[in-house]
Amino acid sequence: MNIFTSNRTWLSSPTRFIFFTGKGGVGKTSLSTATAIYLADSGKQVLLVSTDAASNLDVMLNITLSNHHCPVPGVPGLEVLNIDPDHAAEAYRQRVISQMSVHTSDQERTTVLEQLSGSCTTEIASFDEFSSLLAGDSLQFDHVIFDTAPSGHTLRLLSLPQAWSGFLANNDQGASCLGPHSGLKMQETRFNQALAVLTNPALTSVELITRPEVSALNEAARTSEELKSLGLSNQRLIINGVFRASTQTDAVASAIERQGRNAVAQMPMVLRGLPCDEVPLRSIDNVGLPALRALLEAVPFPPPPYSVPPNQITALGMKDLVAELAENDHGLIMVMGKGGVGKTTLAAALALGLLARGKTVHLSTTDPAAHLTQTLGEEVPNMQVSRIDPKVETQKYIDKIMASKGPSLDENEKELLLEDLQSPCTEEVAVFHAFSHLVAQARSGFVVLDTAPTGHSLLLMDAAGAYHRQMMHSYEQHTGTSARITTPLMRLQDASYTRVILVTLPESTPVLQAAALQNDLRRAKIEPYAWIINQSVLAAGTQDPLLVARLEGEIQQVNKVQQGLSGKFYIVPFLTSPPIGVRALRQLSTPLL
């Protein structure tokens, strides 16, 4: 394995298009930004593009992101572009409307705008901007670097050129939720060009970013295989945040190093054949140009002198949270936050804690990269465990539509309907239907929902909002009265029915992103119930110089949460043994085993 501090091999002969992807929270934004700065400092013209709806690139560079590329002060040759989903969707809607005939009635235009209100429109609109960069709108740049959303969402984005090219090649009639197919046909050439660029190893490379953690490495392996199936074969593995303890007498430091070494030693075979670099853990957050430039220095800065702070944390833990939640007999508990903060582990622990208190519990996930089965390790008697699998839900949805509408159609009409249902946006509709069903189940018991990383979760919330508006509008049109129905969004807004738990790590980026998510939820009239600060080294205690140097930042983040971001928060200390398996998870949330 190549060691990062002496080689930095992914910088030796970079391709024109470079994608940084991986499980949420592994450092994609830090490394992609540091790489962009390095190449610009080397005299190249570089465009750094964020495709993550929950990106914190603006915080790292202290700039305001825009849907138009703009220069980065202090880095000549570097420009930054944010593909904002909402702006992209609105621009897409206006392009579709502008293609309609001048004789189109206002009612027809309104109908098309309603068709274009769903989350699948947002997805294809974002891809439309993304594909334009691959197809020729970035010729003035030597390198285009993509800081992508967490793996599941990125795989969806990168599969769209293939999916839409195939769909448009076989379907030239009717209309979809993206508007008239004639409008989509105009962009078929762009989709095909994007696909050709993505699958050309001389032009495009993928940096699989991971941490020395089992779940992150497994996610990188899954991503690697799926990207290869899409034709993206030029891949490299970068293991970020590698820690080496100063002394083996510190239990916490030794455990962090041991867990990292074991995870790397047991990494999946598909990763072992890839070129690999390591990036050492730093004593400071990767925010600001000096820190980002230092991230690629051959020799990392030594940790600054810093005395061990007293344990200033006085907060409740997971057992206390479970006891509060168990005061009710049913409800929806949504565990949300940035990817990589431990949502899956804590969702499983909450579910087991409620089960131990005699509650009826259904533990599920909306995360495309779900790890519930791995986390639990075994079946749990009397607890239902499920996953919203996009492919399974899509096929179920197609079968349902064909069964209900098929009998009244002739063979030609059935064929046209089936072709229309092959549209990639059908998956978004199907997943939302499954999500709605889970929300409704919380009327008779607890549903603990491990959600996808933040950006993907927000798209699901957008779908709930679009469905809410559609239902209200439809009801009022048919009855002439105000709606008295209960939609999924209304259940999410009901604090007595839904409790949203925001999970974060005691680090600046996860806390900032959890705060941004909280603001988005509040705009949707959903008030988070509590925060969980996970993997607190301060709460666990350490004497290691590097870890001690990082504690000052941890204290600042805990204070930020306590003094303004949340009226109620809980802390889970770093555990020297990973909480994997039912017994370990119960120790987190159950007073007695």
Side-chain angles (χ1 to χ4, degrees):
M1 178 182 296
N2 296 320
I3 301 301
F4 171 82
T5 51
S6 61
N7 290 304
R8 301 177 296 176
T9 54
W10 82 86
L11 297 172
S12 59
S13 48
T15 55
R16 183 155 185 269
F17 298 100
I18 310 172
F19 286 84
F20 284 76
T21 189
K23 181 180 171 71
V26 295
K28 298 184 301 296
T29 300
S30 298
L31 288 172
S32 61
T33 305
T35 298
I37 293 171
Y38 176 89
L39 292 173
D41 287 347
S42 301
K44 303 295 184 180
Q45 296 298 310
V46 182
L47 177 63
L48 176 60
V49 182
S50 172
T51 67
D52 189 348
S55 174
N56 65 321
L57 191 56
D58 53 345
V59 175
M60 285 193 170
L61 293 173
N62 192 28
I63 60 174
T64 300
L65 292 177
S66 167
N67 60 301
H68 299 291
H69 48 81
C70 56
V72 176
V75 191
L78 176 60
E79 298 192 26
V80 176
L81 166 67
N82 179 49
I83 298 181
D84 179 80
D86 292 334
H87 184 277
E90 180 57 29
Y92 184 86
R93 282 189 284 268
Q94 294 306 317
R95 284 199 301 276
V96 171
I97 291 296
S98 68
Q99 294 167 14
M100 299 179 72
S101 168
V102 294
H103 303 294
T104 303
S105 68
D106 289 343
Q107 179 60 44
E108 289 171 327
R109 291 176 186 272
T110 300
T111 299
V112 170
L113 284 174
E114 287 179 356
Q115 290 177 332
L116 296 172
S117 65
S119 59
C120 51
T121 300
T122 302
E123 180 183 65
I124 196 64
S126 297
F127 166 69
D128 189 45
E129 293 198 12
F130 157 76
S131 63
S132 69
L133 296 171
L134 297 172
D137 287 0
S138 60
L139 296 177
Q140 68 269 41
F141 297 101
D142 298 307
H143 299 283
V144 181
I145 297 175
F146 292 92
D147 169 34
T148 70
S151 303
H153 195 268
T154 298
L155 288 169
R156 173 77 174 153
L157 184 70
L158 296 180
S159 69
L160 283 172
Q162 192 176 79
W164 279 106
S165 294
F167 175 66
L168 293 172
N170 297 314
N171 192 334
D172 58 3
Q173 303 183 45
S176 74
C177 60
L178 302 179
H181 285 172
S182 58
L184 289 172
K185 276 289 189 180
M186 295 175 63
Q187 294 166 216
E188 184 175 3
T189 299
R190 178 182 291 180
F191 294 163
N192 286 328
Q193 288 175 333
L195 182 61
V197 169
L198 286 172
T199 56
N200 185 342
L203 291 175
T204 300
S205 58
V206 178
E207 311 301 329
L208 298 167
I209 313 303
T210 183
R211 291 271 188 173
E213 301 165 359
V214 172
S215 62
L217 286 159
N218 286 339
E219 176 70 2
R222 188 184 73 87
T223 302
S224 174
E225 291 179 324
E226 293 205 30
L227 289 176
K228 285 179 181 177
S229 72
L230 295 172
L232 282 79
S233 58
N234 187 4
Q235 302 177 9
R236 173 179 296 277
L237 183 68
I238 301 178
I239 305 175
N240 188 30
V242 176
F243 173 72
R244 298 288 181 258
S246 297
T247 172
Q248 297 303 309
T249 59
D250 187 303
V252 170
S254 297
I256 293 175
E257 177 179 349
R258 181 175 65 253
Q259 290 176 20
R261 286 187 184 276
N262 290 343
V264 172
Q266 299 166 19
M267 77 167 71
M269 289 301 299
V270 66
L271 299 180
R272 296 177 185 273
L274 297 178
C276 183
D277 290 292
E278 290 187 357
V279 181
L281 182 70
R282 305 289 174 158
S283 60
I284 57 175
D285 288 330
N286 298 312
V287 176
L289 294 180
L292 288 165
R293 283 191 167 106
L295 185 58
L296 299 189
E297 292 292 333
V299 179
F301 289 154
Y306 187 69
S307 58
V308 179
N311 189 329
Q312 303 176 13
I313 296 180
T314 54
L316 300 175
M318 284 282 287
K319 296 180 178 67
D320 303 291
L321 175 57
V322 172
E324 286 187 30
L325 296 173
E327 291 176 2
N328 297 325
D329 289 324
H330 68 92
L332 175 66
I333 300 170
M334 294 187 68
V335 183
M336 303 183 70
K338 175 182 166 68
V341 297
K343 295 186 307 295
T344 302
T345 297
L346 297 184
L350 286 173
L352 289 168
L354 290 169
L355 185 70
R357 287 166 172 79
K359 307 298 180 180
T360 300
V361 182
H362 179 176
L363 173 63
S364 189
T365 180
T366 65
D367 193 338
H371 306 292
L372 279 179
T373 304
Q374 286 179 261
T375 301
L376 290 169
E378 61 185 273
E379 290 189 9
V380 181
N382 302 318
M383 186 171 79
Q384 183 180 355
V385 179
S386 68
R387 172 193 174 203
I388 295 180
D389 185 309
K391 292 181 180 178
V392 172
E393 297 302 332
T394 300
Q395 189 57 52
K396 285 166 58 178
Y397 180 79
I398 292 174
D399 292 343
K400 179 181 177 180
I401 296 298
M402 293 301 297
S404 63
K405 295 187 176 182
S408 63
L409 304 177
D410 60 33
E411 290 305 314
N412 185 53
E413 290 171 329
K414 286 182 182 179
E415 185 176 340
L416 287 175
L417 175 59
L418 188 58
E419 284 181 353
D420 198 46
L421 289 171
Q422 300 306 317
S423 159
C425 63
T426 298
E427 180 179 299
E428 298 297 328
V429 177
V431 168
F432 174 67
H433 275 268
F435 169 74
S436 300
H437 181 65
L438 273 177
V439 171
Q441 283 188 25
R443 289 176 296 178
S444 58
F446 279 104
V447 174
V448 180
L449 197 56
D450 164 36
T451 69
T454 303
H456 198 83
S457 298
L458 291 178
L459 287 178
L460 197 58
M461 293 297 183
D462 285 343
Y467 178 72
H468 177 91
R469 293 188 295 273
Q470 179 185 342
M471 289 290 290
M472 294 301 178
H473 179 68
S474 176
Y475 186 90
E476 291 171 9
Q477 275 192 327
H478 283 86
T479 66
T481 61
S482 297
R484 293 183 180 179
I485 55 178
T486 303
T487 65
L489 182 60
M490 293 168 68
R491 294 196 188 282
L492 297 178
Q493 293 169 335
D494 183 353
S496 66
Y497 189 91
T498 299
R499 292 186 173 179
V500 175
I501 311 295
L502 297 183
V503 181
T504 185
L505 300 178
E507 300 171 9
S508 61
T509 297
V511 169
L512 281 169
Q513 293 203 337
L517 173 57
Q518 179 166 261
N519 289 335
D520 286 330
L521 290 170
R522 285 173 172 169
R523 280 193 289 271
K525 299 181 181 179
I526 300 171
E527 182 62 31
Y529 176 74
W531 286 43
I532 297 177
I533 300 175
N534 193 25
Q535 297 180 23
S536 169
V537 174
L538 183 62
T542 183
Q543 300 287 324
D544 184 89
L546 177 60
L547 296 181
V548 167
R550 293 176 61 87
L551 291 184
E552 182 177 15
E554 180 172 328
I555 292 171
Q556 291 175 357
Q557 299 312 312
V558 172
N559 289 339
K560 184 182 294 186
V561 174
Q562 186 175 23
Q563 296 170 9
L565 289 175
S566 178
K568 183 178 293 188
F569 75 101
Y570 302 83
I571 286 185
V572 177
F574 170 82
L575 302 175
T576 54
S577 296
I580 298 174
V582 171
R583 181 177 177 82
L585 291 167
R586 282 178 175 155
Q587 289 177 332
L588 276 176
S589 59
T590 307
L592 297 173
L593 290 177

